[in-house]
Amino acid sequence: MCRAFFAPDFFSTVYDIFLYETTPLRVAILRNDIPTDGHADYPQLFKELLASQESVDFQVFDARQDEFPTCPSDFDGFIITGSRHAVYERDQPWIDHLLERIRSLYKARIPIVGVCFGHQAVAKALGGEVAKNEAGWEVGVVHVTVDPTAAELVPRLKANPSFDVVSIHQDHVLRMPAGFVSLGSTSISSVQGMLDVLGRVLTFQGHPEVPKGCLAHVLQHDGSSTIPQTTRVKALHSLNSTVSTDLLTSLTLACFHRDLLA
């Protein structure tokens, strides 16, 4: 039998506190790609990221093979990973299936964290708009200025008016779904993540899970990419910056604990 999520009342709050203090988080990872360069897979990177702060039980589902849990409510939350694909590709039927599943998770109020492609998939699934960025690639460690509205909603962001994250993308969110606010912005892209006003959905355009060394390897060895050489050089130089791993990890875990707005 699937676990039921109670309505948001006193009893559900007591239940959540008891549950989260006695059992590890259970997180489902919807994997949307597998690297071909021999580097760590997205699920492994997320496991290492979250395990740095908390014990978490993971189960991986390959979205490209239409894998999905029978009982989504058995999980405390879902991670939608990155991908080399674009959410608007019409020759990839699995993407439409993924978008439908995101809508079902959102309707069931199950926490969702989307990263890069996952961020864009959440936006498109829930009524937003995604397109190729006319400003070009955004690659390297990027400095994100937190949106004032997001800072008012999330105490952790109010205490940290900016953050730095590894990023590699050309597509971006042009328009957010209704009921969402931007996490922050850069000069290249104004929606560097999203937060729904209930605190059950959190997305990042960047990759909190990706170590700087992984990006350096891609920039130095992936000759098939369309990233201009000048952008590569600038991105490699940016890797001297420190990333906000602890902050972004704590935000992710808070979303799964349903206390992101606390």
Side-chain angles (χ1 to χ4, degrees):
M1 179 179 295
C2 297
R3 190 178 80 187
F5 279 94
F6 299 126
D9 56 18
F10 171 79
F11 295 103
S12 67
T13 301
V14 172
Y15 172 82
D16 288 346
I17 292 173
F18 172 77
L19 179 65
Y20 297 140
E21 288 186 350
T22 57
T23 61
L25 281 171
R26 294 198 67 213
V27 173
I29 299 177
L30 299 187
R31 178 172 58 196
N32 300 303
D33 211 345
I34 295 179
T36 58
D37 58 4
H39 269 67
D41 198 3
Y42 285 124
Q44 183 59 37
L45 293 175
F46 278 111
K47 291 175 184 179
E48 293 172 0
L49 180 75
L50 299 188
S52 67
Q53 292 191 11
E54 185 171 332
S55 176
V56 182
D57 290 337
F58 295 93
Q59 190 167 346
V60 180
F61 300 88
D62 194 330
R64 301 166 310 147
Q65 302 299 322
D66 284 336
E67 294 178 1
F68 195 70
T70 303
C71 293
S73 60
D74 285 349
F75 295 89
D76 297 299
F78 281 69
I79 292 174
I80 317 296
T81 76
S83 177
R84 76 192 74 182
H85 295 282
V87 297
Y88 46 77
E89 291 180 16
R90 303 309 306 165
D91 60 345
Q92 301 290 333
W94 65 269
I95 294 179
D96 286 334
H97 301 163
L98 172 66
L99 300 183
E100 181 57 40
R101 283 161 174 164
I102 290 172
R103 285 188 284 269
S104 70
L105 293 173
Y106 183 71
K107 183 177 181 180
R109 301 181 70 175
I110 297 173
I112 302 169
V113 171
V115 174
C116 199
F117 170 91
H119 153 74
Q120 297 160 11
V122 169
K124 184 171 176 60
L126 302 181
E129 183 181 355
V130 177
K132 195 173 294 295
N133 192 339
E134 294 181 357
W137 284 90
E138 186 170 44
V139 188
V141 174
V142 301
H143 185 72
V144 178
T145 301
V146 171
D147 185 275
T149 303
E152 287 300 318
L153 287 171
V154 182
R156 292 173 180 84
L157 292 177
K158 193 168 187 178
N160 296 273
S162 64
F163 61 84
D164 298 273
V165 62
V166 168
S167 188
I168 177 167
H169 70 103
Q170 191 174 20
D171 292 338
H172 69 153
V173 173
L174 280 177
R175 177 173 50 82
M176 293 181 290
F180 281 75
V181 300
S182 174
L183 207 61
S185 63
T186 65
S187 60
I188 293 179
S189 185
S190 62
V191 183
Q192 287 291 331
M194 302 185 302
L195 168 74
D196 82 315
V197 295
L198 297 177
R200 296 296 177 91
V201 180
L202 175 69
T203 70
F204 302 104
Q205 178 57 78
H207 283 275
E209 82 286 6
V210 173
K212 292 186 291 183
C214 284
L215 181 58
H217 178 87
V218 170
L219 292 171
Q220 293 168 338
H221 300 287
D222 183 9
S224 64
S225 173
T226 60
I227 301 173
Q229 182 61 25
T230 54
T231 302
R232 290 173 184 260
V233 172
K234 183 178 178 180
L236 285 167
H237 180 72
S238 76
L239 297 181
N240 293 319
S241 302
T242 301
V243 292
S244 306
T245 303
D246 289 346
L247 171 63
L248 303 183
T249 302
S250 69
L251 290 171
T252 299
L253 291 168
C255 182
F256 293 146
H257 279 303
R258 298 191 283 283
D259 63 2
L260 187 58
L261 307 185

